[in-house]
Amino acid sequence: MIQAGSPSNLAVMPADGGEAIADLAVLRDQTALFGTVASNPTAWRLLSRPNETLRAELRATRARAREVAWAQHAEAAAHERWSVLIGDVTGGRG
């Protein structure tokens, strides 16, 4: 049986720098952040039988990850703009 979180693991792995199924180990070592992560054999089984449901789930997971990443980028950029503005107003003491 394929673990339910597997498609999400596969979609998130490249964002964490992964390039191969073996790189799931990086996610596996961060259970507080990613929860239970599929084993390498489970990931291989999942990828060896792609179907439209899996493709749709991977696309949706990737889209959610992108939304979060862009929101975090916007938040960081807004913070940076305020930091620069405060620094300008206070002569760099802000």
Side-chain angles (χ1 to χ4, degrees), residues 75-94:
E75 184 178 321
H79 176 72
E80 180 64 27
R81 283 192 298 275
W82 277 108
S83 296
V84 169
L85 179 61
I86 291 169
D88 288 346
V89 171
T90 63
R93 298 183 306 273

Side-chain angles (χ1 to χ4, degrees), residues 2 13 15 19 30 37-38 41 44-47 50 60-61 63 65 70 73 82 87-89:
I2 293 178
M13 183 186 63
E19 296 179 357
Q30 301 176 57
V37 175
W44 276 111
R45 282 192 303 275
L46 185 65
L47 290 173
T61 301
W70 280 111
H73 173 72
W82 277 108
D88 288 346
V89 171

Side-chain angles (χ1 to χ4, degrees), residues 29-46:
D29 291 339
Q30 301 176 57
T31 55
L33 184 58
F34 296 107
T36 303
V37 175
S39 67
N40 291 356
T42 298
W44 276 111
R45 282 192 303 275
L46 185 65

Side-chain angles (χ1 to χ4, degrees), residues 6-66:
S6 300
S8 297
N9 300 156
L10 294 173
V12 169
M13 183 186 63
D16 198 37
E19 296 179 357
I21 287 179
D23 295 331
L24 282 171
V26 174
L27 303 182
R28 223 176 277 120
D29 291 339
Q30 301 176 57
T31 55
L33 184 58
F34 296 107
T36 303
V37 175
S39 67
N40 291 356
T42 298
W44 276 111
R45 282 192 303 275
L46 185 65
L47 290 173
S48 70
R49 292 181 276 169
N51 58 42
E52 194 49 44
T53 302
L54 172 61
R55 287 185 192 103
E57 187 172 343
L58 287 171
R59 282 191 294 269
T61 301
R62 185 177 59 209
R64 283 191 302 273
R66 285 182 174 167

